[in-house]
Amino acid sequence: MIQAVPKTMTLDEFLDWYPDGYGRFELYDGVVVEMQPTGTHERVAALHALKLGIEIERLELPYFVARQCIIKPIDSDKSGFIPDVAVLDENALKTEPLWKKRSVITKGETVRLAIEVVSTNWQDDYLIKLAEYEKLGISEYWIVDYLGLGGKRYIGNPKRPVILVYSLVDGEYMVSEFRENQRIESPTFPELNLTAERIFRVGQ
């Protein structure tokens, strides 16, 4: 049975409260938010996990696609985010203090790639998570806006579906846009054979 949600809580309290097997939740500045993805959203996320998993296996990389992990912002003990897809470095996990007990990531170098598939709450991905992942030092972050929901200042006018790949350069994200039949260029997976159109087709 799911427990009642307190008004606000710390990340530790959130982790103690988290109802295993009862949905998917994130913590924003002490406030618990239940994530309720659509079936299409899940299909788009699953395609990424599948393609990246195949690439990891093919190249025998020391990475894996986490089923669910919580990323803790660098300067807050009241937030925790669950990416739609996260590729983690097995070697870096050895220095993660909370991993074995909590599956919580506290260091940016542990996350080789984080992907957020945009929903109606697009501001979370374009504003909050973008800033927090950059500060934490996550080297690569994708925003997969398969419905073209983001603000015009991010995706243009008229708004169209887009995949934005943010790469960390000297501590700051540089962004590349991919649409239609463009192959997504990933610094972490330079040989990845995946086009924007292939992803958008799943999201139709």
Side-chain angles (χ1 to χ4, degrees):
M1 183 176 178
I2 191 167
Q3 308 166 56
V5 183
K7 245 183 176 180
T8 63
M9 61 176 82
T10 66
L11 181 58
D12 282 341
E13 290 168 339
F14 171 71
L15 294 169
D16 288 336
W17 166 87
Y18 203 104
D20 187 34
Y22 285 90
R24 181 184 175 101
F25 302 86
E26 292 185 316
L27 187 67
Y28 287 81
D29 197 24
V31 178
V32 176
V33 177
E34 183 174 8
M35 316 307 290
Q36 297 180 318
T38 65
T40 305
H41 179 285
E42 288 298 285
R43 287 185 65 202
V44 171
L47 175 64
H48 286 85
L50 173 65
K51 293 292 188 179
L52 293 170
I54 290 172
E55 193 71 356
I56 291 167
E57 183 73 14
R58 183 180 73 84
L59 297 173
E60 298 182 351
L61 298 170
Y63 309 154
F64 69 96
V65 180
R67 187 183 65 85
Q68 184 167 299
C69 68
I70 294 175
I71 296 179
K72 178 188 178 300
I74 196 168
D75 54 3
S76 172
D77 65 353
K78 291 186 176 182
S79 295
F81 310 127
I82 302 177
D84 290 307
V85 179
V87 175
L88 304 184
D89 186 324
E90 292 181 358
N91 295 324
L93 285 174
K94 297 171 185 176
T95 63
E96 282 287 356
L98 303 177
W99 174 253
K100 287 189 176 180
K101 183 180 178 183
R102 299 284 203 176
S103 74
V104 172
I105 301 300
T106 63
K107 301 179 180 181
E109 58 265 29
T110 304
V111 184
R112 303 299 302 182
L113 170 60
I115 298 176
E116 298 291 354
V117 179
V118 177
S119 300
T120 51
N121 57 335
W122 60 267
Q123 292 94 338
D124 293 346
D125 301 326
Y126 281 97
L127 294 170
I128 299 173
K129 292 181 180 180
L130 176 64
E132 294 297 347
Y133 291 170
E134 182 181 60
K135 284 192 289 186
L136 191 60
I138 293 176
S139 60
E140 187 173 350
Y141 171 45
W142 293 14
I143 296 179
V144 179
D145 197 343
Y146 70 98
L147 293 175
L149 296 174
K152 294 174 184 177
R153 64 186 179 278
Y154 298 108
I155 67 174
N157 186 20
K159 299 202 289 187
R160 295 185 297 137
V162 65
I163 295 170
L164 300 175
V165 174
Y166 291 86
S167 305
L168 201 65
V169 178
D170 297 329
E172 183 179 353
Y173 275 145
M174 300 290 106
V175 63
S176 299
E177 294 185 5
F178 299 93
R179 303 178 191 267
E180 299 170 348
N181 286 317
Q182 293 177 306
R183 186 178 71 85
I184 299 167
E185 297 176 11
S186 165
T188 307
F189 298 96
E191 298 176 28
L192 182 66
N193 186 17
L194 183 62
T195 65
E197 189 274 336
R198 173 71 179 88
I199 293 168
F200 300 154
R201 193 164 69 243
V202 171
Q204 290 177 349

